[in-house]
Amino acid sequence: MVEEKKVDMGALTKQVEYYLSESNLKKDKYFNDLIRENTGYLPIEAILKCNKIKALTQNPKVITEAVKGSDKLELNLEETGVGRKGNPPVPELEKTGKRKEATKEDAKEDREYIKESDLNEPVVMGIEGPQEPKNNWRQIETDYKEKYPDRKVLYTRYDKGEGQIIVSSNKQDLTKLTEELKIKIGDDEFVVKKLEDEKLEKFWAEHGNHYNGCVNKKLSLSKLKKKKADREKKNAKIAVKLGDTTFDEVNKIKSKARVILNQSKDGDILDAGEKSFMVDLLKYHQKAETKLKDLKDISVGVHPSHPDTRCFMVVRNDGTKEDFSVSKCIDAIKGKVKEA
């Protein structure tokens, strides 16, 4: 057994709390089943098998101490299992069903950004190669990504003939992750193979803290990049003419509609300019043809099914009214911007 280093108890407690959280147990079939089999408690021996725990400790007594410091968790009488405070019912697993096929853009975005779910149970691959490579060993990561584009590389290190490359394991064929891979960079040849048993234990003991620091920094940067990209997408420049105004941002359309709604009283009929704007916006609705049929005016009123919500309504020639969603119209405009 490798000597135990000082443990970050805060990080350990937070990680165990996550494993037993409502949101995780709804999708983690393995832990969900284990808790049901053990009358509401997750065996500590199962927790110790998790790679993120291995990076922090390999000592079951440290796990028990972390649990005692949590206001969300409790131990069983034997202190061999961890449960949620008060031992509430185990949540039902979410039904996944058939998911819609991801678009190329969605798939690209998923590969580009690292998410917290990618850090669950990462696979540690060992690297063996020359003591002093003649070429830049960081090319290993690039070549690995080219061979396995669907895997996310979380961490890479190499020093004096040995190193590791850690990849996410979710949504992937785990049998392929055990394959030995040879990577040649110039005259240098590297062998990449999954680490197991004592070698894996040694890595987490010697480099676990370095891995955590690097991957947390990478996760933070990834979140910032995605937030920036989402903001740019949200504020994407457009050229949409509604009424007598051409809008260059989706947010400006949303603001215009909100102003009209807030300045109108229930039952008010929009004036000609406001009506022209709303009619042109309504043309983007997925049921535009039906909504616009026999239209006479646009009014503001209380939603028929949600009395606490105000909305826009089409007023037809026969006096009947029908509500419509401005959000659906704006989402359609966003979709057209995305396609462009």
Side-chain angles (χ1 to χ4, degrees):
M1 175 69 72
V2 180
E3 183 180 351
E4 188 84 34
K5 293 187 176 182
K6 186 176 180 180
V7 178
D8 184 340
M9 296 299 286
L12 179 60
T13 302
K14 185 177 179 181
Q15 188 61 38
V16 178
E17 286 177 343
Y18 168 75
Y19 288 146
L20 281 96
S21 67
E22 188 94 2
S23 58
N24 185 60
L25 291 177
K26 284 181 179 180
K27 58 189 177 184
D28 191 327
K29 186 178 186 304
Y30 178 63
F31 276 179
N32 193 301
D33 289 345
L34 272 181
I35 291 175
R36 291 177 187 277
E37 292 169 7
N38 291 274
T39 60
Y41 292 89
L42 182 63
I44 289 178
E45 62 181 19
I47 296 174
L48 285 168
K49 292 178 181 178
C50 299
N51 285 335
K52 294 196 80 171
I53 297 298
K54 289 178 183 177
L56 296 167
T57 185
Q58 299 161 52
N59 189 336
K61 292 182 179 179
V62 177
I63 299 287
T64 61
E65 289 304 311
V67 172
K68 289 176 181 177
S70 171
D71 59 359
K72 299 178 181 178
L73 305 174
E74 64 182 26
L75 295 163
N76 60 6
L77 292 175
E78 301 81 9
E79 295 194 349
T80 56
V82 182
R84 296 184 295 161
K85 189 77 76 175
N87 202 2
V90 184
E92 296 296 325
L93 286 167
E94 291 179 345
K95 295 180 180 179
T96 54
K98 291 185 178 179
R99 301 183 65 183
K100 294 181 180 178
E101 186 177 346
T103 63
K104 289 183 179 180
E105 185 174 340
D106 291 335
K108 179 182 178 183
E109 182 177 288
D110 187 61
R111 290 194 299 271
E112 186 176 352
Y113 301 112
I114 292 176
K115 300 174 292 187
E116 290 192 18
S117 58
D118 295 319
L119 308 184
N120 293 335
E121 305 309 308
V123 178
V124 184
M125 315 289 286
I127 305 172
E128 294 180 0
Q131 285 280 325
E132 297 181 4
K134 298 175 183 177
N135 301 279
N136 188 348
W137 62 266
R138 293 191 179 277
Q139 183 66 31
I140 296 172
E141 182 173 326
T142 303
D143 288 8
Y144 194 92
K145 286 180 179 178
E146 287 179 359
K147 185 169 180 63
Y148 300 108
D150 292 332
R151 300 181 191 176
K152 293 184 183 179
V153 176
L154 308 174
Y155 172 88
T156 312
R157 67 167 289 276
Y158 187 83
D159 183 45
K160 297 179 181 178
E162 65 85 28
Q164 295 80 29
I165 182 167
I166 301 183
V167 298
S168 59
S169 63
N170 55 317
K171 301 179 184 177
Q172 295 164 7
D173 184 350
L174 295 181
T175 59
K176 289 184 179 179
L177 289 172
T178 63
E179 294 175 352
E180 181 176 294
L181 173 66
K182 291 184 179 180
I183 295 176
K184 195 160 186 178
I185 305 173
D187 296 331
D188 299 322
E189 185 170 279
F190 301 87
V191 177
V192 180
K193 189 174 182 180
K194 185 181 178 184
L195 283 188
E196 296 180 305
D197 302 325
E198 291 183 2
K199 288 184 178 181
L200 180 62
E201 183 180 301
K202 181 180 179 183
F203 164 75
W204 286 119
E206 294 182 354
H207 305 291
N209 288 337
H210 184 241
Y211 163 79
N212 283 332
C214 291
V215 83
N216 285 333
K217 182 177 180 181
K218 188 176 284 191
L219 179 62
S220 297
L221 289 172
S222 190
K223 285 181 178 178
L224 289 174
K225 282 174 62 180
K226 189 172 189 311
K227 189 178 290 186
K228 181 180 178 182
D230 288 344
R231 187 165 57 246
E232 290 174 350
K233 188 185 296 183
K234 186 176 181 181
N235 297 324
K237 296 296 179 182
I238 58 174
V240 176
K241 192 172 188 302
L242 304 175
D244 58 1
T245 305
T246 298
F247 294 85
D248 60 359
E249 288 183 13
V250 170
N251 279 345
K252 292 181 180 179
I253 299 174
K254 191 183 297 185
S255 296
K256 171 75 172 178
R258 189 182 297 115
V259 167
I260 295 174
L261 186 69
N262 291 339
Q263 291 182 349
S264 302
K265 297 178 182 178
D266 292 347
D268 280 357
I269 300 295
L270 302 190
D271 63 32
E274 294 169 339
K275 176 184 175 182
S276 178
F277 165 79
M278 293 306 303
V279 168
D280 284 346
L281 179 59
L282 186 51
K283 289 175 182 177
Y284 286 91
H285 197 286
Q286 59 184 359
K287 296 181 180 179
E289 187 175 350
T290 303
K291 298 283 186 182
L292 291 168
K293 187 176 181 181
D294 295 327
L295 181 141
K296 179 182 179 182
D297 291 305
I298 302 287
S299 72
V300 171
V302 176
H303 194 286
S305 302
H306 306 283
D308 294 329
T309 303
R310 302 175 74 237
C311 64
F312 291 101
M313 297 185 178
V314 297
V315 182
R316 298 196 169 88
N317 290 318
D318 61 3
T320 58
K321 296 181 180 180
E322 183 181 1
D323 64 279
F324 66 92
S325 170
V326 168
S327 295
K328 288 183 179 180
C329 301
I330 291 175
D331 286 344
I333 293 174
K334 289 179 181 178
K336 290 185 179 296
V337 172
K338 190 174 180 180
E339 289 171 7

